[in-house]
Amino acid sequence: MNVGTGYSQVYSGVLTRDDSRSLRRFDFFVPPGATDVFVMLVYSPRREDERGALGPRDFRRRWAAEIDRYRGKLERVGDQDLLAFFERFVDGACTRVQPLQNLLNLAIFDSQDHFRGRWDSPQHFGEWVRIGEVSATRGFVAGDVPPGRWTIVLECHAVVTDVCSFEIGVRCAVSDGLWLRGELHAHTNHSDGALTPAGLVEAAREAGLDFIAITDHNTVSGLAELGSASDSAAKPIVIPGMELTTFYGHAVALGVCEFIPWHDASKGDGLNRQAREVRRLGGLFSVAHPFSVGYPVCAGCEWEYEDTDPGLVDLMEVWSGPWTSHVMWNVPAMRWWDDLLCKGYRVTGVAARDAHKREQLFERETADTYVWARSLTVRDVLEGLRSGRVYISSGPRLNFSLTVSGDGGRFLPGDRARIPSGARLALRVELADPAGELRKSARWGDLLARVVKGTREHGAHAVFTSQVRCSGDRGDRGGRGDCDGARDCDGSAEPIEFEDTTVGDAWYRCEILVDGKSRLPGPHFIALTNPIFVEVISSEAH
């Protein structure tokens, strides 16, 4: 069997007799784009040592509790001949059943809590079993391979030796994906936008976008005019949606074609019921421009809901409109996002222009949302957003990755790396501007790359900062990487690497910002990524 290598993990431990008839759970991360999950279980010893077989008297003494328990059941039957037969059976059992077997099995559940099969040691001991989209090993269930946290339940049915060592291997085969660029918040003339639905799609095509979301205020009628949302590979694809424009905040429902009722929502209920309805329909719930100026200037634009459950929020607009003109909105949104991430909520940060006219799709300092997806389809773009494999940029392409010492896996934003405490982490930043958009407003030497680390205990803070240098710079321009893009620059910056050691759960994301002081408060961002999550596991589970 060709076993995937896109992701790998090993869990190991030692069991004793006291672990008989108990369960152990191991979580593992299936990355976006995985087509197959492979699992293998081995344990040793598989049985007692034949040379240590017990005689009848020692056998009775060793298993006295179990023998007495079963004898009690037969005594309740009241048949003395049956009891006598049982005693003879026990005396002969020491030769028939020895050596006794250790018996470990496992069950697998995917990130949607669906049962995906059971591993039975006599059938599959020491072999890789497959759970794939198209096919699966006997005993397992084929079908979609959703990304996220999967669970292995190790069933310790019997441990009859003093110790029993086990090892569980997990691997995933990941298909090639692609980064898609698009806009997640746009209006047509079915609400207060200037363009028809077809005109908005055409403007998105002119802007070179791969996808555009139609999210009119409290209506989905524009989707009907355009026709059903296409899952074809024509650019741009249309993501159906609606903006819930309420009295106390706006929320974008992506991936839904139905009106979401909100008129009975009170300020105190947090739109939680509406968020659940969006999810029930298979969509994503996104908090829109949460720190926009609100009532009475823009009634309802500010997020004023008091009891919103962050666990129901899939996305949050952290970069709304042009950065500098909306800095008063965006900086607090970034801080709120960081706070939720540090509390353990998996909220994907996105950009949104809230476009109402054609010009906004071409406006400087606005950002696109880049989504890693397996294909140019609505389903896969939504899945990429849900998984957090997303970055935001006003121009340059940004690759941010994490590797763990001794592990060949490479983790991207949205991924979860499970590592032993004290493992060395290597983080890599790669920046490219093939279209030359960045050079219209800034030079490589004007930029800083910053790695932000977040933990529950200490919050979010920068742990590494480096100046960005053009790959064509040879150090003869003052060391600022200020090469002339037309002559020297190939459109990319020198890769930047940073190492860290973590002893507790954490997340890392990358920011690209303009160096130097500005009259505006807060940083001036050019691009930023969603987090890569690191989960520290005990040595016993690794």
Side-chain angles (χ1 to χ4, degrees):
M1 180 184 297
N2 182 19
V3 179
T5 57
Y7 169 93
S8 64
Q9 186 68 58
V10 175
Y11 308 92
S12 60
V14 177
L15 305 171
T16 68
R17 287 190 173 95
D18 292 338
D19 292 306
S20 291
R21 294 188 287 190
S22 69
L23 302 174
R24 291 197 177 191
R25 288 177 169 81
F26 302 92
D27 293 333
F28 64 96
F29 181 81
V30 173
T35 57
D36 297 271
V37 173
F38 300 88
V39 177
M40 181 170 63
L41 169 63
V42 292
Y43 55 88
S44 178
R46 296 186 66 180
R47 60 182 62 84
E48 294 178 312
D49 189 343
E50 295 185 23
R51 295 170 298 181
L54 301 175
R57 179 178 300 177
D58 290 334
F59 185 83
R60 281 180 176 272
R61 184 181 299 113
R62 170 67 183 84
W63 300 104
E66 289 75 14
I67 293 170
D68 289 345
R69 177 182 52 77
Y70 195 83
R71 182 189 293 114
K73 290 185 176 181
L74 297 182
E75 287 174 344
R76 288 194 290 272
V77 176
D79 188 324
Q80 295 302 314
D81 290 339
L82 186 61
L83 280 171
F85 181 85
F86 171 70
E87 298 302 335
R88 294 193 299 273
F89 171 84
V90 173
D91 286 339
C94 63
T95 58
R96 288 194 300 271
V97 303
Q98 293 188 91
L100 294 170
Q101 310 284 317
N102 286 325
L103 180 58
L104 307 183
N105 292 315
L106 58 81
I108 300 178
F109 299 85
D110 66 22
S111 59
Q112 307 301 313
D113 292 327
H114 296 147
F115 174 72
R116 300 306 297 264
R118 183 173 185 272
W119 183 98
D120 201 303
S121 57
Q123 297 184 62
H124 306 305
F125 190 92
E127 299 177 357
W128 288 100
V129 298
R130 175 201 298 246
I131 304 171
E133 293 180 330
V134 179
S135 63
T137 302
R138 183 178 64 255
F140 294 84
V141 181
D144 286 344
V145 180
R149 186 191 298 266
W150 287 42
T151 301
I152 292 173
V153 179
L154 180 64
E155 303 169 355
C156 307
H157 289 273
V159 181
V160 298
T161 55
D162 290 337
V163 295
C164 177
S165 301
F166 70 89
E167 184 173 287
I168 302 171
V170 178
R171 292 185 178 179
C172 298
V174 181
S175 67
D176 292 335
L178 64 162
W179 286 104
L180 301 174
R181 168 175 163 255
E183 171 58 47
L184 294 173
H185 188 163
H187 297 275
T188 75
N189 61 0
H190 280 252
S191 56
D192 58 349
L195 298 171
T196 65
L200 177 62
V201 173
E202 180 57 33
R205 182 177 294 114
E206 292 175 21
L209 301 183
D210 300 305
F211 58 87
I212 180 78
I214 293 182
T215 57
D216 281 315
H217 297 288
N218 296 331
T219 182
V220 292
S221 58
L223 301 172
E225 177 180 314
L226 189 65
S228 60
S230 172
D231 237 18
S232 70
K235 289 185 182 182
I237 60 169
V238 174
I239 298 177
M242 183 190 99
E243 184 174 12
L244 287 82
T245 309
T246 79
F247 297 146
Y248 304 107
H250 293 183
V252 173
L254 294 172
V256 300
C257 301
E258 300 180 20
F259 173 78
I260 307 297
W262 63 271
H263 292 104
D264 58 349
S266 66
K267 184 178 180 180
D269 68 13
L271 281 191
N272 293 325
R273 185 157 46 84
Q274 285 72 20
R276 291 188 183 96
E277 178 63 10
V278 171
R279 286 187 167 188
R280 186 189 70 81
L281 295 172
L284 301 175
F285 184 84
S286 176
V287 174
H289 44 69
F291 290 90
S292 169
V293 175
Y295 184 87
V297 176
C298 182
C301 291
E302 178 188 1
W303 192 264
E304 297 182 67
Y305 285 105
E306 298 168 351
D307 295 311
T308 301
D309 180 358
L312 297 174
V313 177
D314 299 297
L315 316 175
M316 179 187 295
E317 293 179 6
V318 299
W319 185 330
S320 183
W323 180 267
T324 52
S325 63
H326 288 178
V327 66
M328 192 172 70
W329 306 4
N330 293 333
V331 170
M334 291 282 294
R335 299 296 178 263
W336 187 23
W337 182 42
D338 279 344
D339 182 60
L340 292 177
L341 292 172
C342 289
K343 291 178 179 177
Y345 295 105
R346 291 288 298 266
V347 179
T348 300
V350 299
R353 291 176 172 85
D354 196 357
H356 287 72
K357 52 188 179 181
R358 178 185 180 280
E359 294 76 27
Q360 288 176 282
L361 295 179
F362 303 87
E363 199 170 9
R364 287 177 57 183
E365 290 196 342
T366 58
D368 297 309
T369 299
Y370 289 78
V371 182
W372 189 95
R374 293 175 56 187
S375 66
L376 183 58
T377 60
V378 171
R379 185 186 73 169
D380 285 345
V381 170
L382 292 176
E383 191 54 60
L385 288 166
R386 182 179 289 111
S387 68
R389 192 165 269 196
V390 171
Y391 75 90
I392 301 167
S393 177
S394 62
R397 301 297 178 104
L398 175 57
N399 287 318
F400 180 57
S401 61
L402 178 149
T403 56
V404 183
S405 59
D407 188 334
R410 178 172 177 262
F411 299 92
L412 300 179
D415 289 350
R416 182 179 296 275
R418 303 185 81 242
I419 66 169
S421 179
R424 296 293 297 172
L425 309 177
L427 299 112
R428 183 178 176 90
V429 180
E430 298 172 284
L431 199 63
D433 183 32
E437 291 297 318
L438 173 66
R439 296 194 295 274
K440 295 177 182 178
S441 57
R443 302 169 297 180
W444 290 125
D446 296 328
L447 305 182
L448 295 176
R450 184 165 70 184
V451 175
V452 176
K453 179 179 181 178
T455 64
R456 188 179 294 270
E457 296 79 11
H458 303 294
H461 58 283
V463 290
F464 175 77
T465 302
S466 174
Q467 190 173 63
V468 176
R469 296 174 61 88
C470 173
S471 61
D473 181 52
R474 296 295 179 266
D476 55 353
R477 302 175 182 88
R480 288 183 50 81
D482 295 343
C483 67
D484 182 344
R487 227 178 21 190
D488 307 283
C489 185
D490 64 357
S492 63
E494 291 182 354
I496 299 169
E497 294 186 342
F498 161 70
E499 289 191 351
D500 193 24
T501 302
T502 185
V503 294
D505 294 356
W507 53 260
Y508 297 85
R509 60 176 175 80
C510 177
E511 302 173 342
I512 306 298
L513 56 154
V514 177
D515 192 4
K517 294 183 178 180
S518 167
R519 290 177 296 175
L520 296 172
H524 181 176
F525 285 113
I526 297 295
L528 58 99
T529 74
N530 271 262
I532 302 171
F533 298 89
V534 172
E535 180 181 349
V536 174
I537 58 178
S538 66
S539 57
E540 181 183 80
H542 183 66

